[in-house]
């Protein structure tokens, strides 16, 4: 990429993709995660040659503890989940995690498909996992529309950003929970279990 593009790639919502094909949040989220861990990220790019990202993170001084068997800590369940996200990687990884937990997974890549999928499968959808930032119809608008269809709907809000700001507003309107990306299968299973159990 050229120099003007490389200087903006970490800006939220900056994208070189055509309208509706990208949100411009992937690298912005990565930048935020790295900075929150006290690290730095550099990019070097030449047109026709390629791009290299260098990430530097501070070494941890914490003692290494033996990791417990992940499967023992995962809370398995059954039911159907509607996963709403516009990023293919999140859809792919999220589907695999949810299926491993024992759920049937329905997929929607945008707000319109989320509405269609929920209306068609309302009677068997137990929880909706909803991305907060998407092109077109955002998570807040989708949540409000789903709530109109079913006031008792259970929704787990998902975002690469923190729980402050827009996420808090959606939670204040009755959304059942929040999970920050990137998440692992243990965190996902516990977040879902809290909603199912009504904690």
């Amino acid at each position: 990429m050229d120099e003007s593009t490389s200087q903006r790639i970490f800006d939220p919502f900056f994208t070189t993709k055509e309208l509706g094909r990208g949100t411009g949040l992937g690298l912005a989220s990565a930048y935020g995660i790295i900075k929150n861990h006290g690290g730095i990220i550099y990019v070097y790019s030449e047109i026709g040659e390629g791009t290299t990202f260098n990430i530097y993170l501070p070494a941890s001084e914490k003692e290494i503890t033996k990791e417990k068997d992940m499967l023992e800590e995962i809370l398995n369940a059954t039911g159907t989940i509607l996963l709403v996200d516009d990023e293919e990687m999140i859809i792919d990884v999220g589907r695999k995690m949810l299926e491993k937990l024992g759920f049937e997974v329905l997929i929607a890549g945008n707000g319109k498909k989320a509405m269609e999928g929920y209306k068609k499968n309302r009677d068997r959808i137990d929880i909706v996992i909803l991305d907060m930032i998407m092109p077109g119809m955002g998570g807040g608008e989708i949540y409000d529309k789903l709530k109109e269809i079913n006031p008792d709907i259970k929704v787990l809000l998902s975002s690469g950003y923190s729980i402050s700001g827009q996420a808090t507003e959606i939670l204040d309107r009755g959304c059942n929970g929040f999970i920050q990306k990137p998440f692992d299968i243990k965190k996902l299973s516990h977040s879902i279990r809290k909603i199912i159990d009504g904690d």
Side-chain angles (χ1 to χ4, degrees):
M1 55 188 147
D2 57 34
E3 188 175 346
S4 63
T5 301
S6 64
Q7 287 178 351
R8 297 189 61 196
I9 57 171
F10 298 116
D11 294 348
F13 304 108
F14 174 74
T15 179
T16 56
K17 294 180 180 179
E18 62 187 59
L19 187 64
R21 297 292 297 174
T23 60
L25 291 173
L27 286 173
S29 297
Y31 179 84
I33 292 166
I34 292 163
K35 293 294 284 185
N36 286 340
H37 284 83
I40 52 177
I41 179 171
Y42 292 114
V43 58
Y44 176 76
S45 183
E46 286 188 17
I47 294 175
E49 295 295 326
T51 301
T52 301
F53 289 90
N54 292 310
I55 299 169
Y56 300 90
L57 295 169
S60 174
E61 296 179 358
K62 290 181 180 178
E63 232 180 278
I64 297 174
T65 55
K66 189 176 179 182
E67 189 176 346
K68 293 180 181 178
D69 185 356
M70 183 183 286
L71 292 175
E72 290 180 8
E73 305 235 357
I74 294 172
L75 300 174
N76 291 293
T78 57
T80 301
I81 290 183
L82 174 60
L83 177 60
V84 185
D85 203 295
D86 64 310
E87 294 185 54
E88 288 184 18
M89 184 179 72
I90 299 294
I91 288 288
D92 184 48
V93 174
R95 184 207 294 268
K96 288 174 182 173
M97 285 185 186
L98 291 167
E99 287 176 346
K100 188 175 182 66
L101 292 172
F103 290 102
E104 179 185 352
V105 186
L106 304 176
I107 299 298
N110 56 48
K112 183 181 177 184
K113 290 180 180 176
M115 300 304 298
E116 292 171 354
Y118 189 77
K119 286 176 182 175
K120 185 178 178 181
N121 301 282
R122 171 181 171 173
D123 293 340
R124 64 192 186 101
I125 292 175
D126 298 287
I127 294 177
V128 177
I129 299 177
L130 178 61
D131 185 23
M132 188 173 76
I133 307 292
M134 290 185 290
M137 197 187 302
E141 185 180 354
I142 297 168
Y143 174 74
D144 291 340
K145 288 182 180 295
L146 290 172
K147 195 84 171 170
E148 287 175 10
I149 298 169
N150 178 11
D152 299 320
I153 190 171
K154 295 183 185 298
V155 178
L156 175 62
L157 191 63
S158 167
S159 175
Y161 291 97
S162 69
I163 197 170
S164 60
Q166 188 180 348
T168 301
E169 292 174 9
I170 300 171
L171 290 167
D172 288 343
R173 298 206 295 274
C175 190
N176 303 88
F178 176 84
I179 187 168
Q180 187 164 4
K181 297 187 237 179
F183 46 78
D184 58 27
I185 193 168
K186 180 181 169 185
K187 190 183 292 185
L188 181 62
S189 69
H190 280 264
S191 296
I192 293 170
R193 174 55 68 189
K194 280 181 73 174
I195 293 175
I196 291 173
D197 292 345
D199 293 343

